[in-house]
């Protein structure tokens, strides 16, 4: 490649120094932030954006753009400076000046959906790297489906030492290496500094050897030599593997007193040090001042992709795949899947199969999979247990990118984060399975999916003490309550095959947040004989009314415990106690209903209300104002499921006795 002295008629170092200046000034004005990483990676970022990244600042949502992920999200001013300088409408200079202020487009860490040009929410280290793996998977799959003419882009990541120390990085890079995601490139900000000081205080890992051992192409460069950076990036583009580029940099580059030290990481440099740094860099501009020629050069970089985007739009217009491509990105095929699920629900209502809800979910997947080509499934090495593989579905592999099933391996955290990346990329709808108890491994990525509002569907089986012989390590008692505590996450716990189909419908319809299906290992009887309306859509509903007078007892339950509530109702009714049953498959949806509907379902406040779930009762009293709860207060035990339920007193008889005791009190 030719030597990079000038870019768009301006000295290349001045373009990089514009990033440094904005980062220093914004952090100083906010009296908060992380200037060191933007200053250290400014040269590499300048080369990436000006020479390699395919984008058009005037159309941040162009489907065939390259994805740029700032995994080291604390260095957000690097991204904000680039968005501003390249001309994103959403990032005027006033927003740079409002860095980290309430309501600004420049929050402390980048937030997807809040700022145009931010591809994913980052900050929790390592998440962005794993998101990028998902984005690269989505690109590879869609490329196989629609061809180079419509889908042919790359995914770029800037990650720091902290990203690579987090355990999720190993899960993510191993998955990427196995899948040979050659359009994925990670630029490692190899500055050897962490918050406490030198990285060597806590880590001696040979990161390059680690990536190489996991099937990556590994390169190195001087992160402050633009020619060397360009050489490495050019080699990455030609690689048949994912590529790590170790960019040797100096944190806080240019700062006379703080460069190369942890003091440059997470605090303002201070007015005197900023002045000294600008002088050392040869930068004469005052706070937030960018010379016109430098600003014009960056704007040209931002418009570099206009012609290419226009050509892509013409190819789409002429393509035989146009309708399918647009349907994939607009979600048009979801309606066909909803119809297929409705047909399955009607069949289940008529035939009344006694199935584990994991099996009902598997049948629902089977019913709709062909109707929704955007669905891409997977499992964390639990496919036969999760029932997530539709018959005849081929695996996604380096040799067969058109496959729609991913073998994630035992990597729950990276699986959940990769699903986020796939959903963020667009054109696919990811779902994947593991055991509910391992939601603890997935939780950080599930939380970020909820924060971003992306559609990722988690199929979590073995949902209670019904796991039985595997014992308390595998019996989730606190996980459901913990998951319900995450804002914007819908947790579904269906009671039978009809509810399983309904919950799948609701998860597919939900394009503004993640869903989680908690599904049983043990069989449960069919309870619904009518599937003409999706009753689960309101979160809770009366399954069976009281008979023989005004209801005295309301039994509210979820999942497999709804069947226990039905049996308890039979016992109470036989003793002349009018009792009704409420199924509550989704607390979050019930909480969204109007007060009149909630009052209708909850009934007379003078009723005895018993809640039942084979888990802890946290959240039940607040949601349903119950009088008592039949569930778990401790960890489970290893024994056949029936014996475990009896041991912990989660039985129809126990529910009925609790109701009678309260009536007599």
């Amino acid at each position: 490649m030719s030597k990079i002295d000038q870019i768009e008629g301006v000295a290349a170092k001045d373009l990089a120094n514009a990033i440094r200046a904005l980062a220093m000034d914004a952090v100083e004005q906010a009296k908060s932030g992380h200037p060191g990483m933007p200053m250290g990676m400014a040269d590499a970022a300048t080369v990436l954006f000006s020479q390699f990244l395919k984008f058009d600042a005037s159309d941040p949502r162009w489907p065939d753009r390259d994805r740029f992920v700032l995994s080291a999200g604390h260095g957000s001013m690097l991204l904000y400076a680039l968005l501003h300088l390249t001309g994103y409408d959403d990032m005027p200079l006033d927003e740079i000046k409002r860095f980290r202020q309430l309501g600004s487009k420049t929050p402390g860490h980048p937030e997807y959906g809040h700022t145009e040009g931010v591809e994913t929410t980052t900050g929790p280290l390592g998440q962005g790297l794993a998101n990028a793996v998902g984005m690269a998977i989505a690109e590879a799959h869609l490329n196989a489906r629609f061809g180079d003419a419509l889908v042919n882009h790359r995914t770029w990541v800037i990650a720091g030492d902290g990203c690579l120390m987090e355990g999720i990085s190993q899960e993510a890079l191993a998955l990427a290496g196995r899948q040979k995601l050659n359009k994925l490139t990670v630029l490692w900000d190899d500055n050897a500094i962490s918050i406490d000081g030198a990285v060597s205080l806590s880590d001696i890992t040979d990161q390059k050897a680690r990536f190489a051992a996991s099937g990556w192409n590994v390169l190195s460069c001087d992160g402050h030599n633009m020619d060397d950076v360009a050489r490495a990036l050019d080699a990455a583009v030609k690689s048949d593997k994912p590529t790590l580029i170790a960019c040797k940099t100096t944190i806080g580059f240019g700062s006379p007193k703080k460069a190369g030290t942890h003091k440059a990481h997470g605090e303002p440099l201070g007015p005197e040090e900023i002045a000294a740094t600008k002088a050392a860099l040869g930068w004469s501009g005052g706070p937030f001042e960018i010379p016109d020629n430098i600003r014009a050069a960056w704007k040209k970089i931002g418009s570099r992709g206009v012609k290419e985007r226009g050509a892509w739009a013409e190819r789409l217009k002429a393509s035989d795949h146009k309708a399918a491509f647009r349907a994939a990105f607009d979600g048009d095929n979801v309606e066909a899947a909803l119809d297929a699920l409705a047909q399955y629900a009607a069949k289940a209502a008529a035939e009344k199969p006694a199935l584990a809800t994991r099996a009902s979910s598997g049948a629902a997947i089977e019913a709709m999979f062909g109707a929704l080509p955007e669905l891409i499934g997977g499992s964390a090495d639990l496919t036969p247990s999760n029932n997530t593989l539709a018959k005849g579905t081929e695996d996604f592999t380096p040799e067969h990118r058109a496959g729609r099933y991913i073998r994630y391996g035992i990597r729950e955290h990276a699986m959940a984060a990769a699903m986020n990346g796939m959903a963020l990329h667009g054109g696919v709808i990811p779902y994947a399975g593991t055991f509910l108890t391992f939601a603890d491994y997935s939780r950080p990525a599930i939380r970020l999916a909820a924060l971003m509002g992306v559609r990722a569907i988690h199929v979590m089986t073995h949902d209670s003490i019904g796991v039985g012989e595997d014992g308390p390590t595998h019996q989730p008692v606190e996980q459901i309550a913990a998951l319900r505590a995450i804002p914007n996450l819908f947790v579904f716990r269906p009671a039978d095959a009809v509810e399983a189909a309904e919950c799948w419908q609701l998860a597919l319809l939900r394009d503004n947040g993640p869903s989680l299906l908690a599904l049983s290992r043990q069989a449960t009887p069919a309870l619904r004989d009518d599937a003409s309306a999706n009753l689960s859509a309101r979160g809770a509903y009366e399954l069976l009314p009281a008979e023989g007078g005004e209801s005295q007892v309301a039994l509210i339950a979820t999942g497999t415990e709804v069947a226990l509530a039905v049996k308890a109702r039979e016992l109470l009714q036989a003793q002349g106690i009018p009792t009704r049953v409420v199924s509550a498959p989704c607390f979050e949806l019930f909480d969204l209903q109007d007060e009149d509907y909630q009052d209708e379902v909850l009934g007379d406040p003078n009723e005895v209300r018993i809640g039942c779930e084979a888990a802890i009762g946290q959240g039940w009293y607040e949601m349903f104002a119950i009088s008592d709860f039949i569930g778990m207060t401790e960890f489970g035990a290893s024994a056949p499921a029936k014996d475990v339920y009896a041991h912990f007193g989660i039985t129809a008889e126990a529910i009925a006795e609790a109701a009678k005791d309260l009536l007599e009190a």
Side-chain angles (χ1 to χ4, degrees):
M1 295 187 67
S2 59
K3 187 174 177 61
I4 301 175
D5 290 321
Q6 292 197 339
I7 299 172
E8 300 294 348
V10 174
K13 68 179 182 64
D14 289 339
L15 296 180
N17 286 338
I19 297 171
R20 295 186 174 102
L22 287 175
M24 287 188 287
D25 292 340
V27 171
E28 181 62 32
Q29 180 147 306
K31 302 301 179 187
S32 170
H34 302 76
M37 192 281 273
M39 296 170 70
M41 283 298 287
D43 297 310
T46 297
V47 176
L48 174 62
F49 271 68
S50 67
Q51 309 293 309
F52 291 89
L53 192 74
K54 182 171 75 170
F55 75 109
D56 175 5
S58 69
D59 188 0
R61 301 184 186 185
W62 173 26
D64 201 34
R65 69 191 180 279
D66 283 0
R67 270 59 170 181
F68 172 69
V69 174
L70 185 67
S71 188
H74 56 273
S76 57
M77 268 310 305
L78 176 71
L79 178 53
Y80 299 150
L82 287 163
L83 295 178
H84 168 66
L85 291 168
T86 55
Y88 282 75
D89 289 341
D90 212 29
M91 193 57 65
L93 187 60
D94 284 347
E95 293 294 342
I96 300 291
K97 293 179 179 179
R98 297 178 63 224
F99 180 54
R100 286 182 163 236
Q101 304 309 299
L102 185 64
S104 75
K105 296 287 187 181
T106 48
H109 294 85
E111 297 179 24
Y112 170 79
H114 186 74
T115 308
E116 288 284 11
V118 172
E119 299 284 6
T120 182
T121 296
T122 56
L125 295 177
Q127 291 288 331
L129 172 56
N131 293 162
V133 172
M135 292 175 184
I137 288 172
E139 190 279 338
H141 175 74
L142 292 169
N143 174 267
R145 184 178 175 192
F146 296 118
D148 287 349
L150 300 185
V151 181
N152 187 14
H153 54 266
R154 309 187 66 83
T155 304
W156 308 88
V157 183
I158 287 181
D161 293 298
C163 291
L164 302 193
M165 279 192 268
E166 287 284 1
I168 190 175
S169 73
Q170 179 57 41
E171 293 184 23
L173 72 91
L175 177 62
R178 166 64 187 92
Q179 291 292 348
K180 297 183 180 178
L181 299 174
N182 64 303
K183 292 184 181 178
L184 172 64
T185 301
V186 174
L187 287 78
W188 168 30
D189 179 18
D190 181 15
N191 61 38
I193 294 294
S194 65
I195 292 175
D196 282 359
V199 168
S200 60
L201 291 171
S202 59
D203 193 31
I204 59 168
T205 303
D206 184 337
Q207 297 290 358
K208 290 185 282 188
R210 182 166 72 109
F211 275 77
S214 296
W216 285 58
N217 177 34
V218 176
L219 305 169
S220 299
C221 71
D222 178 346
H224 300 301
N225 182 321
M226 292 195 187
D227 297 327
D228 204 27
V229 172
R231 172 196 57 78
L233 290 172
D234 188 56
V237 169
K238 298 171 183 175
S239 174
D240 62 354
K241 303 175 183 178
T243 298
L244 173 75
I245 302 175
C247 302
K248 194 60 185 173
T249 62
T250 300
I251 192 171
F253 180 86
S255 171
K257 294 182 178 179
K258 296 186 177 182
T261 74
H262 69 281
K263 292 182 178 180
H265 171 80
E267 61 186 47
L269 298 182
E272 291 184 5
E273 188 65 9
I274 288 176
T277 302
K278 288 183 176 181
L281 294 172
W283 187 267
S284 58
F288 302 104
E289 290 182 1
I290 305 295
D292 290 343
N293 64 326
I294 295 174
R295 184 173 292 282
W298 269 116
K299 284 288 180 67
K300 286 184 180 179
I301 292 169
S303 63
R304 194 166 49 87
V306 170
K307 184 176 180 180
E308 192 165 4
R309 179 178 60 82
W312 175 88
E314 289 300 315
R315 292 196 300 273
L316 175 63
K317 186 177 179 180
S319 174
D320 293 339
H321 295 302
K322 179 176 66 174
F325 184 88
R326 287 178 172 166
F329 277 86
D330 294 342
D332 294 348
N333 292 320
V334 168
E335 290 299 324
L338 298 179
D339 290 343
L341 287 168
Q343 293 176 34
Y344 166 70
K347 183 173 182 286
E351 297 179 357
K352 297 181 174 55
L355 297 171
T357 53
R358 63 168 174 166
S360 298
S361 170
I365 292 171
E366 191 82 39
M368 68 172 167
F369 199 78
L372 185 52
E374 287 71 51
L375 274 177
I376 296 185
S379 171
D381 197 49
L382 289 169
T383 297
S385 297
N386 297 149
N387 291 32
T388 42
L389 178 62
K391 292 176 185 175
T393 303
E394 297 175 319
D395 286 354
F396 173 88
T397 67
E399 299 75 30
H400 188 58
R401 299 299 198 195
R404 295 170 59 195
Y405 196 80
I406 299 171
R407 308 288 178 166
Y408 285 103
I410 306 168
R411 304 185 182 105
E412 296 90 353
H413 196 176
M415 177 177 75
M419 287 167 64
N420 290 350
M422 294 164 71
L424 289 161
H425 180 281
V428 296
I429 299 174
Y431 75 88
T434 187
F435 288 173
L436 181 59
T437 195
F438 302 141
D440 290 342
Y441 288 153
S442 306
R443 185 182 181 87
I446 295 174
R447 179 180 184 270
L448 283 175
L451 177 60
M452 291 187 283
V454 297
R455 179 171 45 196
I457 303 172
H458 298 268
V459 179
M460 296 203 169
T461 66
H462 297 56
D463 70 345
S464 67
I465 58 172
V467 171
E469 294 87 347
D470 280 345
T473 59
H474 284 53
Q475 293 170 1
V477 295
E478 78 277 21
Q479 277 77 7
I480 290 178
L483 290 161
R484 285 174 179 151
I486 298 176
N488 199 39
L489 170 66
F490 282 8
V491 179
F492 296 100
R493 191 164 185 252
D496 69 355
V498 173
E499 281 197 1
E502 291 177 341
C503 292
W504 261 108
Q505 285 182 320
L506 297 168
L508 289 178
L509 280 169
R510 189 160 197 255
D511 60 1
N512 62 347
S515 299
L516 184 147
L517 282 74
L519 305 164
S520 72
R521 178 194 185 195
Q522 76 277 22
T524 190
L527 301 172
R528 289 272 296 279
D529 55 12
D530 181 10
S532 59
N534 188 326
L535 300 182
S536 298
R538 304 192 79 171
Y541 63 95
E542 186 176 89
L543 176 67
L544 293 172
E547 296 177 352
E550 290 294 320
S551 178
Q552 296 181 39
V553 177
L555 304 179
I556 307 171
T558 77
T560 47
E561 286 71 72
V562 178
L564 295 181
V566 169
K567 290 181 180 178
R569 173 185 177 273
E570 293 174 1
L571 295 173
L572 291 167
Q573 286 283 166
Q575 298 173 57
I577 302 172
T579 301
R580 62 195 187 90
V581 175
V582 171
S583 179
C586 183
F587 283 26
E588 295 78 21
L589 278 172
F590 184 66
D591 194 43
L592 292 174
Q593 304 309 307
D594 60 63
E595 189 175 344
D596 287 344
Y597 179 77
Q598 291 178 349
D599 289 345
E600 177 187 334
V601 171
L602 293 177
D604 190 331
N606 294 319
E607 269 184 318
V608 167
R609 291 180 193 158
I610 305 289
C612 185
E613 187 170 64
I616 65 171
Q618 186 172 328
W620 272 87
Y621 290 88
E622 295 83 358
M623 182 63 64
F624 297 110
I626 56 176
S627 311
D628 197 5
F629 179 74
I630 305 298
M632 297 294 291
T633 58
E634 56 186 298
F635 293 112
S638 175
K642 185 177 179 181
D643 295 341
V644 178
Y645 268 86
H647 175 73
F648 289 105
I650 305 176
T651 64
E653 292 76 14
I655 297 169
E657 284 300 317
K660 288 195 295 181
D661 288 346
L662 286 166
L663 286 171
E664 294 168 2

